[in-house]
Amino acid sequence: MKKSLMAVALVGAFAGVAHAQTAVQIYGTIDAGLQKRSNQTLSIGKRASNTLGFKGTEDLGNGLKALFQLEIRYEPDTGTNESGGRPLFQGQSRVGLQGDFGMVRIGRGLTPYQETVGAFEPFHALPHQAGFYTDLAVAGYTSAPLDPSVNSNNRWANAFWYNSPVVNGFQVNTAIATKENNGGPAIGTQYPVGAQASANPFSATATYNNGPAAVMLGYERNAVESKVMSIGATFNVTPELKLLALATRHKQDNIRFTLPAGSGPRTKAWVLGANYTMGPGKILAGYGRKEPDNSFETKQMSLGYEYSLSKRTYVYADASRKDGPQTQATRNVDAKINFYTIGVNHSF
């Protein structure tokens, strides 16, 4: 009898330990393909960011959970860290709590504005040249101008996030970052090498997603007090056809250094797009314009096709034409750039 009671007690104890353990998931994507850009040779490239991630949750009881997420970014053709010199956990490194109040996290990750705006451009936030996410969708704005130049420009380090619960389709997401020096380059004379931010970066979005329609409002101020504002909407006309629209305004009025050629103190941009699903295939199409004050405007037209081989693997082909200032070396020269890519994407 005593042995039976002891066995029951041990089973109960181990069950309690198992319940308290963190459930960890390993996930990632690998994307590689052939790409060709005007005036450049054929090369191996990527359409989506390649990631290796670890995330987990622990049930703390009473509806409260602890959570964490670490995400490495890498280059598929060489196996090296993404873009060379970026942080090990370039994608994100955050820890936090989740409950009825929503979710709070601390660390490094996408700003709420950058995380939200990508859902309202037709190439679903893919950071490649055929998409609109890194340029026209945000009107040339960068979230982290004082970070090292190799770092991603849509993430904050040393930041605090709050995501509200979703109530009847509505949600509010906010983040604020510290003024800590992140080791970035000099920007004119106002911000020397390794300068501290002149203001706490702040980002906020409000979204509504219920039924066939979704709407977003977004605002962000970065470390040098540039500001960006966006309004976007999507509408599922049919189960197969989705229409997208996004308008953005980028303000640099208060910046007291010489703006680069090809930009202005105020820039407005817009993107229109559509996704059409045909069985395992999907067509992505978009057109957009970016119009800086007193400078060259940028026009972009893109067309893409994805074909799902399984739930985790698809092949793709994209083509785009971009008319406007293209690179740092030719920002004050109007140029036409054609871009083509084919490849395969696998998630695990």
Side-chain angles (χ1 to χ4, degrees):
M1 182 67 178
K2 289 182 179 179
K3 289 183 179 179
S4 299
L5 289 173
M6 184 176 292
V8 171
L10 286 172
V11 170
F14 281 116
V17 170
H19 176 72
Q21 286 180 344
T22 301
V24 179
Q25 176 187 351
I26 300 174
Y27 68 94
T29 58
I30 182 163
D31 182 298
L34 297 173
Q35 61 183 31
K36 178 68 173 69
R37 187 175 185 268
S38 296
N39 305 318
Q40 293 184 5
T41 60
L42 184 71
S43 62
I44 300 295
K46 59 186 179 184
R47 185 182 194 242
S49 296
N50 288 276
T51 62
L52 172 62
F54 309 86
K55 61 182 178 181
T57 60
E58 181 186 9
D59 189 350
L60 303 176
N62 298 319
L64 186 64
K65 294 181 180 179
L67 52 89
F68 80 91
Q69 191 164 4
L70 299 169
E71 196 169 275
I72 299 169
R73 302 273 287 276
Y74 63 93
E75 301 293 0
D77 51 341
T78 62
T80 56
N81 228 28
E82 187 181 62
S83 297
R86 285 185 169 181
L88 174 61
F89 294 108
Q90 159 68 13
Q92 63 175 303
S93 55
R94 293 189 282 196
V95 64
L97 298 171
Q98 184 175 12
D100 294 338
F101 56 86
M103 179 168 57
V104 293
R105 290 170 291 173
I106 299 173
R108 171 183 173 78
L110 282 169
T111 72
Y113 172 78
Q114 296 281 4
E115 192 168 30
T116 303
V117 76
F120 293 83
E121 66 92 23
F123 281 75
H124 43 81
L126 293 171
H128 74 316
Q129 296 179 62
F132 299 86
Y133 177 53
T134 59
D135 188 12
L136 272 68
V138 297
Y141 169 82
T142 173
S143 293
L146 295 181
D147 277 12
S149 57
V150 296
N151 280 15
S152 173
N153 62 9
N154 56 5
R155 287 166 166 77
W156 285 342
N158 307 309
F160 172 87
W161 283 259
Y162 170 69
N163 301 72
S164 77
V166 178
V167 180
N168 295 324
F170 289 97
Q171 186 177 34
V172 175
N173 299 322
T174 62
I176 187 167
T178 66
K179 294 183 181 181
E180 294 181 53
N181 166 23
N182 289 321
I187 301 179
T189 57
Q190 184 184 2
Y191 298 94
V193 175
Q196 190 178 74
S198 59
N200 288 95
F202 176 76
S203 182
T205 61
T207 56
Y208 172 77
N209 191 343
N210 198 356
V215 181
M216 71 84 69
L217 293 172
Y219 169 84
E220 186 171 301
R221 178 191 66 201
N222 65 21
V224 299
E225 299 180 70
S226 293
K227 303 174 181 68
V228 66
M229 293 155 281
S230 292
I231 180 170
T234 67
F235 186 76
N236 291 308
V237 180
T238 67
E240 298 80 19
L241 177 62
K242 181 179 182 180
L243 302 180
L244 307 94
L246 181 67
T248 301
R249 191 168 183 83
H250 176 199
K251 296 184 179 181
Q252 303 178 84
D253 307 68
N254 67 310
I255 304 303
R256 299 185 298 277
F257 58 82
T258 303
L259 294 169
S263 65
R266 297 192 178 195
T267 302
K268 58 184 178 180
W270 54 267
V271 176
L272 298 176
N275 294 159
Y276 186 75
T277 303
M278 303 178 296
K282 178 185 286 188
I283 296 173
L284 304 88
Y287 177 80
R289 299 179 73 156
K290 182 177 70 172
E291 302 168 348
D293 288 350
N294 306 316
S295 188
F296 289 111
E297 68 177 15
T298 298
K299 305 172 188 176
Q300 181 178 337
M301 180 169 56
S302 296
L303 184 65
Y305 181 72
E306 300 173 354
Y307 187 86
S308 295
L309 301 174
S310 71
K311 290 183 178 180
R312 294 182 175 274
T313 304
Y314 68 87
V315 292
Y316 58 83
D318 299 316
S320 74
R321 182 178 181 86
K322 201 168 185 178
D323 181 0
Q326 301 296 325
T327 67
Q328 186 67 35
T330 60
R331 266 186 162 165
N332 57 349
V333 177
D334 196 12
K336 293 179 175 64
I337 299 295
N338 295 323
F339 179 78
Y340 310 95
T341 183
I342 59 171
V344 60
N345 180 292
H346 174 75
S347 61
F348 58 88

